[in-house]
Amino acid sequence: MSEKKGAKIFKTKCSQCHTVEAGGAHKQGPNLSGLFGRQSGLAEGYSYSTANKNSGVIWSEDTLFEYLLNPKKYIKGTKMVFAGLKKPAERKDLIAYLKSSTA
């Protein structure tokens, strides 16, 4: 897993909709600060889909690995329009970056 590669993936595929820093703004998607260990749909001040709020997913390396493959399949009814990352190595790199940048 490469945090550096993950940062590049975040910048090119995620940063147009998400921020990671504590207190960062919500964009089209929620700020991801404090993501790990949090239940989906609970970032304060963001308007989530009902599907996301009711999914009960607790974000961890494992749940993110599956979610990032195909978000619309993992949480049916999510408003996240991202198609997903098919390559396992890219998902692992992105998760490594998210783990350090959202803590």
Side-chain angles (χ1 to χ4, degrees):
M1 290 192 294
S2 168
E3 201 177 303
K4 188 176 179 181
K5 286 180 184 175
K8 190 174 181 181
I9 293 166
F10 185 86
K11 185 177 181 185
T12 59
K13 298 189 183 272
C14 313
S15 66
Q16 58 271 36
C17 295
H18 294 283
T19 57
V20 292
E21 63 279 348
H26 295 305
K27 293 181 171 183
Q28 184 174 344
N31 170 274
L32 300 176
S33 180
L35 176 68
F36 286 84
R38 183 171 70 210
Q39 185 173 321
S40 66
L42 295 182
E44 198 172 315
Y46 183 76
S47 177
Y48 286 93
S49 65
T50 302
N52 205 301
K53 286 190 275 193
N54 294 339
S55 71
V57 172
I58 304 295
W59 296 119
S60 68
E61 289 181 49
D62 291 338
T63 54
L64 276 170
F65 187 78
E66 293 301 318
Y67 177 73
L68 291 169
L69 173 63
N70 187 339
K72 287 193 176 297
K73 185 176 179 186
Y74 193 82
I75 299 180
K76 288 179 181 15
T78 186
K79 62 184 183 180
M80 184 159 149
V81 295
F82 182 61
L85 292 171
K86 304 306 175 215
K87 296 178 182 170
E90 286 186 353
R91 282 181 278 149
K92 287 179 181 179
D93 292 341
L94 178 58
I95 291 166
Y97 169 72
L98 289 173
K99 244 189 137 162
S100 69
S101 64
T102 63

